Amino acid sequence: NAGVTQTPKFQVLKTGQSMTLQCAQDMNHNSMYWYRQDPGMGLRLIYYSASEGTTDKGEVPNGYNVSRLNKREFSLRLESAAPSQTSVYFCASSGTTGHYGYTFGSGTRLTVV
Amino acid sequence: GQQLNQSPQSMFIQEGEDVSMNCTSSSIFNTWLWYKQEPGEGPVLLIALYKAGELTSNGRLTAQFGITRKDSFLNISASIPSDVGIYFCAGPPEAQKLVFGQGTRLTINP
């Protein structure tokens, strides 16, 4: 009963480096999401994928790209990391349109120096 | 963008006390949700509300969907140490986009 699995759990990058955050869910959910969490700002939606083959921008998409590789996997890529992207990143999934009881992963803590 | 204003931002209480927090939106929501986040983990859904005026309980937690549809409330009765965490309200301003409040950090002194 893994639910939503994110890798890595921690990462330190230098400014300008690139990396991909991985997310996989084993609940056969259609929709997947990427959020970032910063102190005092709650969680902000970066990108989402309502179904396999589709992706859309959320509230804070600049500096990120996503790929919905298949129904299970949704990755988030930072092409050229900046200190402003230091944050905790959460992936989530949802099985039913209009149902917002998202299942979240345990997060990736990213530091850009 | 859409903002949810959650208050208070933090609470320091004694074990056994009741807790109240609220969330307001600048626009109408058709759904209100309350999540809890524990250290090192992602948020977990506590209660979902789908109808204005609805009052729903989950153990010692009770949440209400405000009749204006622009606010929601969460109460925790007789707090215990495991209630510690960050509580978030959330709502969908449009389909497939869930926005979150800033969170209420709850600390409990035994």
Side-chain angles (χ1 to χ4, degrees), chain A residues 31 33 35 37 40-45 48-50 57-59 90 96-107, chain B residues 1-3 9 31 33 35 37 40-45 48 50 86 88 92 94-103:
Chain A
S31 303
Y33 310 85
Y35 283 86
Q37 182 177 22
M41 302 190 73
L43 291 94
R44 293 181 291 169
L45 182 63
Y48 68 98
S49 171
K57 295 179 180 179
E59 182 183 354
F90 287 99
T96 305
T97 300
H99 176 65
Y100 296 97
Y102 293 176
T103 300
F104 282 85
S106 57
Chain B
Q2 173 68 42
Q3 287 194 348
Q9 292 189 16
T31 302
L33 306 108
Y35 284 80
Q37 183 181 30
E41 299 296 329
V44 174
L45 180 67
Y50 299 102
I86 305 176
F88 292 100
E94 56 185 284
Q96 299 295 336
K97 290 186 177 180
L98 193 63
V99 294
F100 286 78
Q102 305 96 317

Side-chain angles (χ1 to χ4, degrees), chain B residues 1 11 19 23 26 28 37 40 42 45 49 53 59 69 76-79 83 102 107:
Chain B
M11 302 184 73
V19 172
C23 194
S26 56
I28 290 173
Q37 183 181 30
L45 180 67
L49 303 159
R69 296 166 65 191
I76 305 173
S77 63
S79 60
D83 290 334
Q102 305 96 317
T107 303

Side-chain angles (χ1 to χ4, degrees), chain A residues 42-94:
Chain A
L43 291 94
R44 293 181 291 169
L45 182 63
I46 304 171
Y47 270 93
Y48 68 98
S49 171
S51 61
E52 185 179 356
T54 69
T55 61
D56 282 288
K57 295 179 180 179
E59 182 183 354
V60 288
N62 292 342
Y64 305 95
N65 286 302
V66 291
S67 295
R68 183 75 182 266
L69 304 171
N70 47 56
K71 191 171 185 179
R72 290 186 64 250
E73 300 172 285
F74 189 39
S75 62
L76 179 71
R77 183 161 178 84
L78 288 70
E79 290 291 350
S80 179
S84 61
Q85 294 178 304
T86 293
S87 188
V88 181
Y89 291 85
F90 287 99
C91 177
S93 69
S94 172

Side-chain angles (χ1 to χ4, degrees), chain B:
Chain B
Q2 173 68 42
Q3 287 194 348
L4 296 183
N5 294 312
Q6 190 172 344
S7 65
Q9 292 189 16
S10 60
M11 302 184 73
F12 299 85
I13 64 170
Q14 296 294 125
E15 183 177 352
E17 289 185 11
D18 296 343
V19 172
S20 292
M21 61 189 76
N22 67 79
C23 194
T24 59
S25 168
S26 56
S27 59
I28 290 173
F29 282 175
N30 292 317
T31 302
W32 279 97
L33 306 108
W34 287 92
Y35 284 80
K36 178 188 177 186
Q37 183 181 30
E38 298 188 2
E41 299 296 329
V44 174
L45 180 67
L46 297 174
I47 294 176
L49 303 159
Y50 299 102
K51 186 176 178 181
E54 181 180 353
L55 190 70
T56 297
S57 293
N58 177 4
R60 294 176 295 103
L61 277 64
T62 301
Q64 185 165 21
F65 192 141
I67 57 173
T68 66
R69 296 166 65 191
K70 290 186 176 182
D71 54 10
S72 181
F73 310 89
L74 177 69
N75 295 311
I76 305 173
S77 63
S79 60
I80 60 177
S82 62
D83 290 334
V84 165
I86 305 176
Y87 291 81
F88 292 100
C89 61
E94 56 185 284
Q96 299 295 336
K97 290 186 177 180
L98 193 63
V99 294
F100 286 78
Q102 305 96 317
T104 295
R105 183 181 295 273
L106 180 62
T107 303
I108 299 175
N109 297 316

